[in-house]
Every structure is written in C-alpha cells, then in structure tokens.
Amino acid sequence: KVMEEEQIRFVGLETLCAIDYLHRSSILYRDLKPDNLLLDDSGHVRLVDFGVCVQGNPKEKKPPTSRDLCGTVPYMAPELKFNQERGLPPYGAAVDWYAFGVLMYQLTEDGQFPFGPDPDFEDMGAEFRQPELIGDDGVTEVPDLYDLLSGLLDWNPKSRYGADEAGVEGLKANPYWKEPDWELLEKRRIASPLLPLVMARSAKRLAATSQTGP
C-alpha cells in the first residue's frame, strides 16, 4: 500500500530525528533503508539493526569517519561506495544523509531508486530518475519535495543537505517539513498518522490467528 503524503512526511521526520540522535551520540549508522525501519504499536518509527554502525568518541558529539565498504548498494553514497577504490578521503555523517535521501525518494516514488539499484555516479543526467513528486490527489506537486530530495542526493558530500555548512539544523529548517515541533518529535509525543495502518495490520493478524487456531 502506498502511504499518504502526511504519513511519508512523518516517517521522514522521525527517521531524521533518529539519525540526528545517533550522530550527536558519535555513531555513524551506514545502513539506513526501509528494511531497518519498524513501526511500534503506536505507529512511531523505530530504527533497528546496528550491525555495521561505527562508534566514535562520545565526547566529540559527532560521528566518526571511516573508509570501510559496508551497507546496502543502492543506499551507498558515492564517497562510501568508491572510497577505497578511488582513494577518497574518509567519509562521515554525509553518507547517512544520502541514504536518508534515497529512503525519502523511495517512499514518495513507489519504491524506485533515484539512480538505479547499482549507481555508477558518473552522469547525473543519464542516471537520475526524475521523480513525479505528485501528492495524494494525483495531480498537485508536493511543495518543496524536489528541493529536499535533490539536496539530500547531492553527489558532493560537502554540499549535501545535513552535511553542508547549514548542517542538520539547515535540513530541519527545510520547508518540506512544515515547521514541526522537533522537541516533541524526539520524545514521540506527536500522534502518528501511521497508527491506522498499524491497527489494521494488527486486526488482520488477529483475525488470521483466530481462524487458524492456536
């Protein structure tokens, strides 16, 4: 089932909070993808699978850098995918923001990847799949969505949203998010528009269990 615009935005908001928290805790996540996002019984997003995370110095309150090749190919930023092969400088927090961009693109574009399943990162014009950006009515373009996606999917980590000079605060200020209360979001005190999906799935599972018996 394709999620509604409000639900997609909410997943993005809570995922952004989770990645920001990890970075402030000196953790580089490196494997953000839909498979690693779960919904709890209140419809809030939970990040799971920390198998390829790398921990830095907590006193620095920023994620470490690395040269390791890890993660899932379609979500790998170019500086991660080709780091060892091309002798690039160690990568940092920008790789998580690139993966966040791929995630948001997938949620809004019916599971498609912005540069295909195995990007070459050689020709933006040839590789980039232009998103439709259409909202729930099937006609109107979602305001500021293209700016968000293009900023997160920037191949240059120095100018990528979340890792540029404006940092994560600049990313949070993007108008696509509609100025939410970030403090309440981090505390999971904003009602989730995904709760109806969770309740429907729970009801369906319960009905299936009652039919089959213990």
Side-chain angles (χ1 to χ4, degrees):
K1 175 179 173 57
V2 178
M3 292 191 297
E4 297 174 356
E5 180 185 334
E6 181 187 8
Q7 295 171 330
I8 292 171
R9 182 177 287 104
F10 187 80
V11 170
L13 287 167
E14 291 207 326
T15 304
L16 194 163
C17 286
I19 295 300
D20 180 33
Y21 175 79
L22 289 179
H23 287 177
R24 286 187 279 112
S25 303
S26 303
I27 296 173
L28 193 60
Y29 185 63
R30 302 194 296 186
D31 200 18
L32 183 62
K33 56 185 177 180
D35 290 357
N36 288 343
L37 296 179
L38 301 182
L39 296 178
D40 64 18
D41 57 4
S42 297
H44 290 284
V45 175
R46 301 291 183 139
L47 192 61
V48 300
D49 192 353
F50 296 86
V52 298
C53 286
V54 57
Q55 172 82 56
N57 184 349
K59 294 182 179 180
E60 294 184 0
K61 296 184 178 181
K62 63 179 182 180
T65 59
S66 177
R67 292 182 180 276
D68 297 337
L69 178 64
C70 62
T72 305
V73 172
Y75 305 88
M76 289 182 182
E79 70 271 21
L80 187 161
K81 184 177 182 180
F82 298 115
N83 189 272
Q84 297 180 14
E85 179 181 328
R86 299 179 182 176
L88 301 175
Y91 59 80
V95 301
D96 284 340
W97 296 126
Y98 175 86
F100 180 56
V102 177
L103 170 71
M104 290 301 297
Y105 185 101
Q106 279 195 292
L107 293 178
T108 59
E109 296 300 309
D110 196 23
Q112 299 294 319
F113 293 113
F115 306 108
D118 191 6
D120 293 323
F121 296 117
E122 293 178 354
D123 185 344
M124 174 71 78
E127 294 182 59
F128 185 52
R129 178 182 179 275
Q130 290 289 337
E132 293 184 2
L133 307 171
I134 301 301
D136 295 337
D137 62 6
V139 178
T140 309
E141 183 174 316
V142 179
D144 304 301
L145 178 56
Y146 186 81
D147 175 73
L148 177 74
L149 294 178
S150 59
L152 289 169
L153 296 170
D154 192 331
W155 290 359
N156 183 353
K158 294 182 179 180
S159 55
R160 187 177 301 147
Y161 280 179
D164 56 6
E165 291 185 1
V168 68
E169 293 306 316
L171 176 55
K172 288 181 176 181
N174 190 283
Y176 170 78
W177 304 122
K178 296 188 175 181
E179 300 182 349
D181 188 320
W182 291 99
E183 184 177 352
L184 293 182
L185 271 168
E186 290 188 354
K187 295 178 180 179
R188 296 194 301 279
R189 292 183 179 176
I190 293 181
S192 171
L194 293 156
L195 183 56
L197 293 181
V198 174
M199 295 178 66
R201 290 183 181 181
S202 297
K204 185 176 181 180
R205 187 179 302 112
L206 183 62
T209 301
S210 63
Q211 291 176 2
T212 57

